[in-house]
């Protein structure tokens, strides 16, 4: 009887495997399909103007095909500029962009004409961030506190990210060897500021209700105010890191045009986990005659100097002026949810 049960079980496993094998689909790639013209540029405040213009590439290829016979001109506030250097598919112009610049591009190649227009937002006005580590709770928390001095009667759309650089020696137990790494990425952070995260002002859904790798928010709730806010990072310990190991953090606050805001929102949606089970989402394009995005920004970036501070008490008035009461409430709320 046991022998018969084993045979029955074996045939069941075989039938189950054959069922999945029969349902397997092979994806065929058409590598001979016609390439499309692609224009990408982010005219950025206080940076040199450049434009990337090339043919689209097969996603498994690591090279872009440059476009031949290109006649390109960029107009900034009515003044025309021509490329003064070309590196691969990047066209550089002898102009440093400024706040509120109006920028248009006109490209002719063969019988094709490509156009796009954008403007350069104003550089965000941000106070020097205070960054300190609090070790009084369940987790070590990196607290980042700063003020945004929002322009009055000037609609702004912000993108908040925190870049983390990890560098040093790390042990890999599975391979029983050491690796030297040096990598940067947008790390997860927590924001409990409803004036930046409520559905009325934000286009980003928090992971687990609290955490973001990118926070997109308008200034509807803080227009014209000097708004104080706090971002938090849970510092998890990696026991495979070999001291001294570097963890560096950079706060990025980007003021973006409506086109770039929609593009960043679409990219975040297209790369979310739910896209593994649904059709690819369309990504915003504002270029005429080609694919791509031509949208301005102004990016404030500052490396964080992290200090170790005690939690504010009535005896620490200097610290209390820097870390406002809402930051303590934020720490308490996050600590309660972490337990």
């Amino acid at each position: 009887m046991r022998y018969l049960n084993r045979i029955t079980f074996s045939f069941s496993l075989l039938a189950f495997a054959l069922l999945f094998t029969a349902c397997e689909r092979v994806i065929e790639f058409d590598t001979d399909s016609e390439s499309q013209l692609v224009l990408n540029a982010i005219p950025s405040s206080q940076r040199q103007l450049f434009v990337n213009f090339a043919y689209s590439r097969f996603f498994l290829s690591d090279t872009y095909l440059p476009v031949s016979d290109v006649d390109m001109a960029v107009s900034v506030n009515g003044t025309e500029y021509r490329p003064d250097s070309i590196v691969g598919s990047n066209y550089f112009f002898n102009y440093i962009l400024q706040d509120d610049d109006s920028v248009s591009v006109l490209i002719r190649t063969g019988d094709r004409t490509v156009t796009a227009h954008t403007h350069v937002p104003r550089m965000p006005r941000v106070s020097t961030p205070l960054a300190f580590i609090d070790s009084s709770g369940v987790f070590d928390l990196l607290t980042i506190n700063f003020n945004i001095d929002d322009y009055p009667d000037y609609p702004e759309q912000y993108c908040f990210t925190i870049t983390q650089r990890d560098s040093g020696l790390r042990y890999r137990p599975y391979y029983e060897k050491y690796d030297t790494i040096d990598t940067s990425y947008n790390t997860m952070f927590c924001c409990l500021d409803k004036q930046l995260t409520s559905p009325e002002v934000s286009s980003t859904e928090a992971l687990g209700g609290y955490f973001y790798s990118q926070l997109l928010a308008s200034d509807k709730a803080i227009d014209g105010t000097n708004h104080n806010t706090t971002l938090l990072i849970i510092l998890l310990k990696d026991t495979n890191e070999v001291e001294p190991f570097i963890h560096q953090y950079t706060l990025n606050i980007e003021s973006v045009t409506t086109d770039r805001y929609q593009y960043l929102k679409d990219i975040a949606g297209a790369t979310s986990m739910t896209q593994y089970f649904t059709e690819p989402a369309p990504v915003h394009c504002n270029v005429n005659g080609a694919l791509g995005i031509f949208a301005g920004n102004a990016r404030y970036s500052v490396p964080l100097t992290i200090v170790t501070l005690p939690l504010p008490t009535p005896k620490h008035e200097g610290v209390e002026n820097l870390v406002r009461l809402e930051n303590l409430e934020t720490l308490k709320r996050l600590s309660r949810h972490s337990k």
Side-chain angles (χ1 to χ4, degrees):
M1 189 66 178
R2 289 183 180 178
Y3 182 71
L4 181 60
N5 288 339
R6 289 178 182 176
I7 294 177
T8 304
F9 181 70
S10 298
F11 273 106
S12 298
L13 287 178
L14 179 60
F16 189 71
L18 289 174
L19 176 63
F20 275 87
T21 303
C23 294
E24 182 181 356
R25 299 182 63 183
V26 177
I27 301 176
E28 296 182 359
F29 298 114
D30 182 9
T31 58
D32 297 324
S33 60
E34 183 180 358
S35 296
Q36 302 292 319
L37 292 173
V38 180
L39 167 64
N40 283 315
I42 308 175
S44 302
S45 180
Q46 303 176 21
R47 296 188 180 183
Q48 183 180 10
L49 172 63
F50 81 94
V51 173
N52 180 275
F53 185 61
Y55 285 110
S56 60
R57 64 181 177 88
F58 181 55
F59 77 99
L60 293 179
S61 172
D62 58 358
T63 58
Y64 285 91
L65 297 176
V67 183
S68 59
D69 189 25
V70 174
D71 179 20
M72 180 183 298
V74 170
S75 175
V76 182
N77 304 324
T79 301
E80 184 178 281
Y81 294 86
R82 296 279 180 171
D84 65 349
S85 64
I86 302 173
V87 180
S89 299
N90 292 323
Y91 296 75
F92 294 87
F93 299 81
N94 186 25
Y95 182 79
I96 303 299
L97 292 153
Q98 304 298 319
D99 292 359
D100 296 321
D101 276 349
S102 177
V103 188
S104 299
V105 61
L106 171 62
I107 303 173
R108 293 187 177 91
T109 174
D111 60 350
R112 301 283 297 276
T113 299
V114 179
T115 62
H117 172 77
T118 190
H119 74 277
V120 179
R122 298 174 186 175
M123 184 66 68
R125 298 184 298 191
V126 182
S127 66
T128 302
L130 170 68
F132 68 94
I133 296 175
D134 170 55
S135 302
S136 63
V138 177
F139 299 107
D140 289 349
L141 294 177
L142 173 57
T143 303
I144 306 162
N145 180 266
F146 55 91
N147 288 350
I148 302 174
D149 189 8
D150 189 77
Y151 295 96
D153 301 319
Y154 180 81
E156 288 195 82
Q157 297 170 107
Y158 294 110
C159 175
F160 299 87
T161 57
I162 298 176
T163 304
Q164 178 174 336
R165 180 194 172 209
D166 295 341
S167 182
L169 197 63
R170 189 175 185 277
Y171 182 65
R172 301 177 66 186
Y174 183 81
Y175 296 99
E176 296 184 345
K177 69 174 186 177
Y178 292 89
D179 280 346
T180 300
I181 65 171
D182 192 350
T183 184
S184 296
Y185 55 93
N186 285 348
T187 192
M188 300 293 292
F189 62 90
C190 174
C191 181
L192 301 177
D193 187 344
K194 294 301 182 183
Q195 291 179 293
L196 296 177
T197 63
S198 68
E200 292 76 22
V201 298
S202 176
S203 297
T204 307
E205 184 175 350
L207 179 64
Y210 294 99
F211 296 95
Y212 303 86
S213 59
Q214 169 184 275
L215 173 59
L216 296 169
S218 75
D219 71 340
K220 292 179 182 178
I222 63 172
D223 181 58
T225 65
N226 193 351
H227 180 69
N228 179 265
T229 192
T230 298
L231 307 180
L232 300 164
I233 299 176
I234 295 180
L235 302 178
L236 302 176
K237 292 180 172 60
D238 186 346
T239 57
N240 291 321
E241 294 173 353
V242 180
E243 295 296 337
F245 195 92
I246 297 174
H247 292 289
Q248 296 175 332
Y249 299 89
T250 300
L251 173 66
N252 309 299
I253 303 176
E254 186 178 349
S255 181
V256 300
T257 61
T258 300
D259 284 319
R260 179 156 174 78
Y261 188 90
Q262 186 63 48
Y263 174 79
L264 292 172
K265 178 183 175 182
D266 290 347
I267 288 294
T271 56
S272 68
M273 294 182 63
T274 58
Q275 287 301 308
Y276 289 106
F277 310 102
T278 61
E279 292 293 327
V283 176
H284 181 66
C285 170
N286 69 335
V287 176
N288 301 309
L291 304 176
I293 188 74
F294 188 77
N297 82 332
R299 184 183 178 94
Y300 168 89
S301 294
V302 57
L304 298 177
T305 301
I306 302 173
V307 296
T308 301
L309 294 178
L311 287 176
T313 67
K315 295 181 181 180
H316 294 91
E317 296 181 358
V319 175
E320 192 169 347
N321 290 331
L322 293 172
V323 187
R324 297 187 178 181
L325 184 58
E326 59 259 38
N327 294 344
L328 296 180
E329 293 302 319
T330 296
L331 290 172
K332 292 176 183 176
R333 290 171 61 186
L334 188 64
S335 180
R336 286 198 297 267
H337 286 286
S338 300
K339 293 180 181 178

